[in-house]
């Protein structure tokens, strides 16, 4: 083990950890905006209560995402200074746009949304959450544009004197074909996570009265006149709101799953075109085949070079890679020989077991989340309330499924590009900081891991605390009068 190995582990751990918050922030910002829009249009207080309930979870997640995202920027200069020196002129442009435009748009309007309750006109206040959601989405686009340049470099030239990449066409960078297919795929994955979280929490609250013995003892007799007590009315309103949230979240999850499949199909074809080794590594395809089958499950040697047993779907890999059932998919051996002749001696094959299984875990966990969403919709058909104990158990783990799918998708994306840090231009081993020693990287890696573990505990406890608290009590206030002195009015939002 050397400094390069630990630096890669550190960047991988911190990136995957940060990405646990990103999809939920992006997806939930839009879902909260939709809920508030429904309240604005209908005046139904249950939508306002759902807005504030899921809005608080969104804010907790947003804050943690900002904290962990800052570390990503510093790592480029600490452990990957040679990489930063090489790509800074190109890579820095979309990241600067993201910080100066998208992040400030998101954070500014999010602040107005937080403290503007009952102070801003309702229509203006509604616009602030939509602006914040737009900022989150734009932020994702510019970051993906930077990452896509690492997968498929465009709009640049190499300075012969300095050996650095220099930006020549920012439009080409922002309209990179990899960006254009990765963005909708990533966005769909974000809604998959947000919808799953909404369903999971709603199912827990729908199940809670039946599971809580104390509530069963104190619940009123629905056949008596006292069944119309304020407590009974409040419980009925809560259940109606969570039934809507479960149905709404399930539809979002299901629609997002369809969008993930469609965009993923397009992404596979672009990947085969610009990074054929990654597609071959996804299947552990060593020899060129036409047509090529897709293996659902393979048992092979430890190094992944020899197949012992496999369950295959004929023609599927050719369809994924070329759109033609009889299309040719190039194998690892042929591509390795091509890269040796093109770039010089060396190994240009990623770690096959990692790419093979991360690709399948990504697909499997995503489909599992979609299956649970379909189950929820079936259980709520014709106004029914879900009662299956197994469904509620599946609902508890539902948010983990798309989160895992997103993480394995990024592991596949980055590990499948190896040994390149910028495909065709810079090897990963050449991007690490030469002045950073192994003990120094180990120290920072250990510190980050411990801090992130602590933050994970804080995040989970906060989310569980506010999710269990249930819907807040709200009293929709009248439209604020701009001429009224509200100096002594209570805070619109406070922890």
């Amino acid at each position: 083990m050397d400094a390069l190995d630990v630096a890669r582990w550190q960047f991988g751990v911190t990136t995957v950890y940060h990405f646990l918050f990103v999809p939920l922030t992006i997806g939930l910002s839009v879902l909260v905006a939709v809920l508030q829009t429904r309240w604005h249009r209908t005046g139904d207080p249950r939508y306002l209560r759902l807005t504030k309930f899921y809005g608080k979870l969104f804010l907790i997640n947003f804050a943690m995402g900002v904290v962990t995202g800052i570390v990503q920027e510093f790592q480029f200069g600490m452990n990957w200074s040679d990489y930063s020196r090489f790509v800074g002129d190109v890579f820095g442009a979309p990241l600067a746009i993201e910080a100066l435009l998208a992040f400030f748009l998101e954070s500014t309007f999010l602040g107005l949304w937080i403290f503007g309750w009952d102070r801003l006109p309702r229509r203006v206040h509604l616009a602030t959450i939509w602006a914040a959601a737009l900022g989150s989405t734009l932020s994702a686009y510019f970051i993906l544009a930077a990452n896509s340049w690492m997968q498929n470099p465009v709009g640049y030239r190499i300075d012969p004197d300095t050996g650095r990449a220099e930006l020549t066409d920012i439009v080409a960078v922002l309209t990179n074909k990899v960006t254009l297919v990765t963005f909708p795929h990533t966005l769909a994955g974000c809604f998959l996570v947000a919808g799953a979280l909404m369903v999971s929490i709603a199912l827990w609250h729908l199940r809670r009265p039946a599971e809580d013995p104390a509530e069963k003892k104190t619940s009123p007799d629905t056949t008596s006149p006292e069944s119309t007590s304020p407590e009974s009315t409040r419980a009925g309103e809560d259940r109606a709101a969570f039934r809507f949230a479960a149905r709404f979240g399930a539809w979002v999850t299901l629609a997002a799953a369809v969008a993930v499949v469609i965009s993923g199909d397009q992404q596979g074809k672009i990947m085969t075109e610009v990074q054929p080794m990654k597609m071959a590594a996804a299947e552990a395809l060593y020899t060129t085949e036409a047509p090529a089958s897709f293996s659902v499950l393979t048992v092979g040697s430890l190094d992944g070079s020899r197949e012992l047993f496999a369950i295959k779907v004929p023609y599927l890999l050719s369809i994924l890679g070329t759109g033609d059932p009889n299309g040719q998919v190039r194998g690892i051996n042929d591509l390795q020989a091509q890269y040796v002749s093109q770039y010089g001696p060396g190994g240009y094959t990623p770690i096959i077991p990692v790419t093979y299984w991360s690709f399948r875990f990504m697909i499997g966990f995503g489909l599992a989340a979609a299956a649970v969403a379909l189950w929820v919709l079936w259980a709520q058909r014709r106004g029914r309330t879900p009662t299956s104990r197994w469904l509620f158990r599946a609902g508890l783990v539902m948010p983990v499924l798309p989160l895992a799918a997103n993480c394995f998708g990024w592991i596949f994306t980055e590990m499948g590009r190896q040994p390149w840090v910028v495909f065709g231009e810079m090897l990963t081993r050449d991007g690490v900081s030469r002045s950073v020693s192994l003990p120094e990287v180990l120290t920072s890696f250990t510190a980050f891991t411990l801090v992130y573990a602590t933050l994970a505990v804080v995040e989970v406890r906060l989310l569980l605390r506010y999710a269990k608290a249930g819907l807040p009590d709200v009293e929709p206030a009248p439209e604020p009068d701009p001429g009224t002195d509200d100096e002594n009015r209570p805070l619109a939002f406070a922890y």
Side-chain angles (χ1 to χ4, degrees), residues 32-33 35-37 39-40 45 47-56 58-59 109-129 472 474-480 486 489-494:
V32 170
L35 290 172
Q36 186 170 342
T37 302
W39 169 66
H40 179 76
Y47 297 128
L48 176 59
R49 299 176 70 199
L50 287 171
T51 298
K52 293 197 172 186
F53 175 72
Y54 286 105
K56 184 165 289 189
F58 159 65
L59 292 175
F109 282 99
L110 191 59
L112 290 172
W113 183 75
I114 293 172
F115 298 105
W117 285 103
D118 303 334
R119 297 177 182 272
L120 293 173
R122 289 183 183 177
R123 185 170 297 179
V124 175
H125 187 258
L126 175 62
T128 62
I129 186 62
V474 294
E475 290 294 337
E479 286 280 357
D486 60 352
R489 291 177 62 187
L491 290 175
F493 181 92

Side-chain angles (χ1 to χ4, degrees), residues 61-266:
N61 193 77
F62 173 81
M64 201 66 69
V66 171
V67 171
T68 57
I70 293 174
V71 176
Q72 304 300 102
E73 306 280 344
F74 288 122
Q75 285 192 96
F76 291 124
M78 293 191 311
N79 294 343
W80 301 95
S81 59
D82 282 9
Y83 163 78
S84 300
R85 190 176 298 110
F86 176 73
V87 305
D89 189 54
V90 180
F91 201 76
L95 291 184
I97 297 173
E98 184 273 333
L100 296 174
L101 174 64
F103 179 72
F104 279 102
L105 174 69
E106 176 185 19
S107 56
T108 299
F109 282 99
L110 191 59
L112 290 172
W113 183 75
I114 293 172
F115 298 105
W117 285 103
D118 303 334
R119 297 177 182 272
L120 293 173
R122 289 183 183 177
R123 185 170 297 179
V124 175
H125 187 258
L126 175 62
T128 62
I129 186 62
W130 278 110
L134 176 62
S136 298
T137 305
L138 288 176
S139 180
Y141 186 88
F142 292 121
I143 291 175
L144 289 173
N147 180 268
S148 297
W149 188 85
M150 298 166 63
Q151 316 288 339
N152 180 45
V154 295
Y156 75 105
R157 74 179 185 91
I158 301 297
D159 188 311
D161 297 325
T162 63
R164 297 176 65 245
E166 295 185 346
L167 181 66
T168 59
D169 189 351
I170 184 62
V171 176
V173 173
L174 296 179
T175 58
N176 190 336
K177 64 174 69 176
V178 176
T179 307
L180 297 180
V181 296
T182 302
F183 177 66
H185 189 66
T186 304
L187 204 59
C190 295
F191 287 111
L192 198 66
V193 174
L197 180 74
M198 183 170 285
V199 170
S200 178
I201 295 174
L203 286 179
W204 187 85
H205 281 282
L206 288 174
R207 184 67 173 176
R208 187 179 180 184
E211 292 290 342
D212 192 341
E215 291 191 19
K216 289 173 109 178
K217 291 178 182 178
T218 58
S219 60
D221 181 4
T222 56
T223 61
S224 68
E226 290 78 14
S227 62
T228 58
S229 65
E231 292 79 6
S232 175
T233 302
R234 165 68 185 268
E237 291 174 351
D238 285 1
R239 290 180 65 80
F242 281 120
R243 277 198 299 269
F244 169 80
R247 187 169 60 254
F248 176 50
W251 276 116
V252 169
T253 303
L254 201 59
V258 174
V260 165
V261 172
I262 295 173
S263 58
D265 175 69
Q266 296 300 314

